[in-house]
Amino acid sequence: MKQSLQLKVSQNLTLTPQLQQSIRLLQLSTLELQQEIQQALAENPMLEVADDDVGDTEQTVSLGTNSEIQDGSNSDNYEPEPDPRKTREQSDTDATADAEGSEREDLVQRESIDSIQDNWEGDWRDNSGANADGDEEKPGLQLAAPDSSLHQHLVEQLRLTQASERDKNLVLWLIDYLNDDGYLSADLEDLWETLQEVPDLEFEELQAALRLLQSFDPPGVGARSASECLMLQLRQRPDVRKHPELYAHCNSIAQEHLGLLAQRDFTKLKKALGIDDELLKQCHDIIRSLEPFPGARFRRVDDDHVVPDVIVKKLSGQWHVQLNPDVMPKIRINEMYASILRSHRGQSSQLSAQLQEARWLLKNVQQRFDTILRVSQAIVERQIGYFNHGEIAMQPLVLREIADLLGLHESTVSRVTTQKYMLTPYGLVELKSFFGSHVSTDSGGQASSTAIRALIKQLISAEDAKQPISDSQIADLLGQQGIVVARRTVAKYRESLKIPPVNMRKSL
């Protein structure tokens, strides 16, 4: 076969640097975007932090003004601004000529919003819904950070005791063996063997040091088991100690029958103690009021705070969506370097390239927030029932519906809704949670899985605690409302809500 040269003309799609940057910024979370901005400020001298007197970039769009969103629909058309066929000389000329146009755009650079997420973990029966009809929102509760660690708290109490220096040293040594829950993590006899080099140290001295430690606050500290922890707390309850019979039964449950209590096997528990339902209920309430982990309130947990990207408020009877101004980086083109580049046009190709990169970054960051705002607006329009009535009114929704509505690709909507959060009257919600699977109904319609979970939670919260309803009964009750679900589906949804099974929900 004879070899020859042939010319072939073809077309293919390539990702320009601007398009790659736009896609990357779109899928970043708020914290990752802040890191990206900080790196750009450190590497590119053409960028600087905008002054505080720069105009606010906050954008608010009402549900009734779709034209305000659609006017900026071209912002999601990820066509690169410069023509790739231009030469470097032409690009440099265009960059310097248009430097004053977009270099004054104000975008965000600080992250100062406090944590919005609610740190309270209530009982599974609590219903902490918000008032969707009101225009004002109640601030979320937050747990105050502990002032000191468990070790410091115990050492301060030890200094106030009248114990001898030898006993204080033993207690201080035992404190070092406490875990984060406040339990003594080592066997007392093993600890005594490690102290054989201490002259004339008796095992009774170490036991006395442990009893001194167990008398400190918080009650139950220094316990070696859950039973001992509860028993120590019962001893420090004067309201229980003044009723000898009640205290004896509570102490017996904590010492010998915690397993039956955990399994809620009240029949065997009453038989083992020889008591009636009323007395058992009193014991049950007292033991449930105790703290099984006395050192829990001294833990320091470094939470990853989630910051909302958009905020939804109800004003004048309409739901309004606005970008969170505290997460939008306020950066702009450095005017001094831009002036130098204009006066020495064509002499610094490196500054021209950095100016072009800075303009791309400003444009792509603004484009990112515009896309988030448009998608959030469309979600609120489709899920208006959720904002009016809560999770029980959530409608089935898929990414393609939002993509078709806004003229975007489905992958773009997926990037926008991942790790982006919306502050609603019902709390902080990830945009991705508004999308979910659905279940068919008898009428031929569809019910959202989120709404079904809300119904399950509602049915269980209204059940009789003495005779809780099973998963099969829940499936039958949902069927009476036209929602056909299997028992295993109900069990899966119940477990996702962290609701215990029927035998664990039974009470006296």
Side-chain angles (χ1 to χ4, degrees), residues 9 45 51 69 99 172 178 246 274 303 312 319 366 369 430 439 455:
V9 180
D51 297 332
I69 302 179
L172 188 62
L178 297 180
L246 180 63
D303 294 329
V312 180
W319 291 104
Q366 182 64 54
F369 284 102
E430 187 180 7
V439 174
L455 283 172

Side-chain angles (χ1 to χ4, degrees), residues 103-147:
E103 61 192 15
R104 296 185 182 274
E105 296 181 359
D106 305 328
L107 312 172
V108 178
Q109 172 53 8
R110 58 181 172 82
E111 178 183 307
S112 61
I113 193 169
D114 294 333
S115 175
I116 311 290
Q117 66 183 47
D118 187 359
N119 290 328
W120 288 104
E121 295 183 359
D123 190 77
W124 59 269
R125 289 182 182 270
D126 291 344
N127 185 10
S128 56
N131 184 9
D133 295 331
D135 294 340
E136 298 181 357
E137 299 176 11
K138 298 181 180 179
L141 296 176
Q142 296 182 353
L143 288 179
D147 296 331

Side-chain angles (χ1 to χ4, degrees), residues 191-341:
L191 295 178
W192 179 61
E193 292 180 358
T194 60
L195 292 175
Q196 292 302 315
E197 67 274 6
V198 179
D200 301 329
L201 178 64
E202 300 292 339
F203 183 68
E204 288 74 14
E205 290 184 75
L206 193 59
Q207 289 179 318
L210 178 60
R211 287 194 295 270
L212 178 59
L213 173 61
Q214 292 176 344
S215 66
F216 289 170
D217 179 78
V221 68
R224 289 158 288 183
S225 64
S227 296
E228 185 179 15
C229 179
L230 300 181
M231 292 168 62
L232 289 172
Q233 295 181 56
L234 287 172
R235 293 176 193 170
Q236 300 182 33
R237 288 280 298 267
D239 58 329
V240 180
R241 292 294 299 270
K242 67 181 181 180
H243 300 286
E245 182 182 6
L246 180 63
Y247 171 74
H249 290 307
C250 291
N251 195 71
S252 177
I253 293 175
Q255 185 176 8
E256 302 174 0
H257 306 295
L258 273 184
L260 293 177
L261 185 65
Q263 298 173 6
R264 293 178 177 263
D265 195 343
F266 299 119
T267 302
K268 290 184 179 180
L269 197 55
K270 288 188 295 183
K271 184 177 181 181
L273 298 175
I275 58 178
D276 56 8
D277 290 343
E278 183 178 355
L279 187 55
L280 179 59
K281 188 178 187 304
Q282 294 179 11
C283 295
H284 186 205
D285 294 339
I286 291 173
I287 292 178
R288 286 193 56 174
S289 66
L290 304 178
E291 174 56 63
F293 304 105
R297 63 186 175 98
F298 293 92
R299 294 177 187 167
R300 292 185 179 271
V301 181
D302 297 330
D303 294 329
D304 293 331
H305 294 168
V306 177
V307 182
D309 296 89
V310 292
I311 301 173
V312 180
K313 295 181 179 179
K314 191 174 186 180
L315 301 174
S316 302
Q318 285 188 327
W319 291 104
H320 292 252
V321 185
Q322 69 180 37
L323 292 172
N324 184 2
D326 292 325
V327 300
M328 298 177 62
K330 289 179 179 162
I331 55 176
R332 64 183 179 185
I333 301 294
N334 190 305
E335 181 63 28
M336 181 182 67
Y337 285 107
S339 300
I340 294 175
L341 186 59

Side-chain angles (χ1 to χ4, degrees), residues 292-461:
F293 304 105
R297 63 186 175 98
F298 293 92
R299 294 177 187 167
R300 292 185 179 271
V301 181
D302 297 330
D303 294 329
D304 293 331
H305 294 168
V306 177
V307 182
D309 296 89
V310 292
I311 301 173
V312 180
K313 295 181 179 179
K314 191 174 186 180
L315 301 174
S316 302
Q318 285 188 327
W319 291 104
H320 292 252
V321 185
Q322 69 180 37
L323 292 172
N324 184 2
D326 292 325
V327 300
M328 298 177 62
K330 289 179 179 162
I331 55 176
R332 64 183 179 185
I333 301 294
N334 190 305
E335 181 63 28
M336 181 182 67
Y337 285 107
S339 300
I340 294 175
L341 186 59
R342 285 193 297 271
S343 61
H344 299 80
R345 181 173 301 179
Q347 297 184 12
S348 179
S349 59
Q350 182 178 359
L351 279 180
S352 299
Q354 290 176 334
L355 176 61
Q356 185 64 36
E357 291 176 1
R359 295 181 61 205
W360 283 358
L361 180 63
L362 292 178
K363 179 181 177 63
N364 290 331
V365 169
Q366 182 64 54
Q367 189 177 76
R368 174 187 186 272
F369 284 102
D370 290 344
T371 308
I372 292 175
L373 183 61
R374 293 182 62 210
V375 172
S376 301
Q377 169 73 21
I379 289 175
V380 173
E381 290 179 348
R382 289 299 183 95
Q383 298 290 1
I384 194 69
Y386 165 80
F387 292 94
N388 288 328
H389 307 289
E391 291 184 344
I392 199 170
M394 185 80 78
Q395 297 295 321
L397 185 64
V398 294
L399 297 175
R400 182 171 296 278
E401 294 183 41
I402 301 298
D404 294 341
L405 178 65
L406 301 178
L408 303 175
H409 194 274
E410 190 173 346
S411 62
T412 302
V413 179
S414 177
R415 292 187 181 97
V416 170
T417 55
T418 302
Q419 294 184 335
K420 312 298 188 304
Y421 294 87
M422 176 186 292
L423 183 59
T424 72
Y426 303 99
L428 198 61
V429 182
E430 187 180 7
L431 296 182
K432 186 74 74 176
S433 64
F434 290 100
F435 304 86
S437 58
H438 61 273
V439 174
S440 300
T441 61
D442 288 342
S443 60
Q446 295 177 345
S448 170
S449 59
T450 304
I452 297 176
R453 289 187 180 93
L455 283 172
I456 292 175
K457 185 176 181 180
Q458 188 180 80
L459 291 173
I460 293 179
S461 62

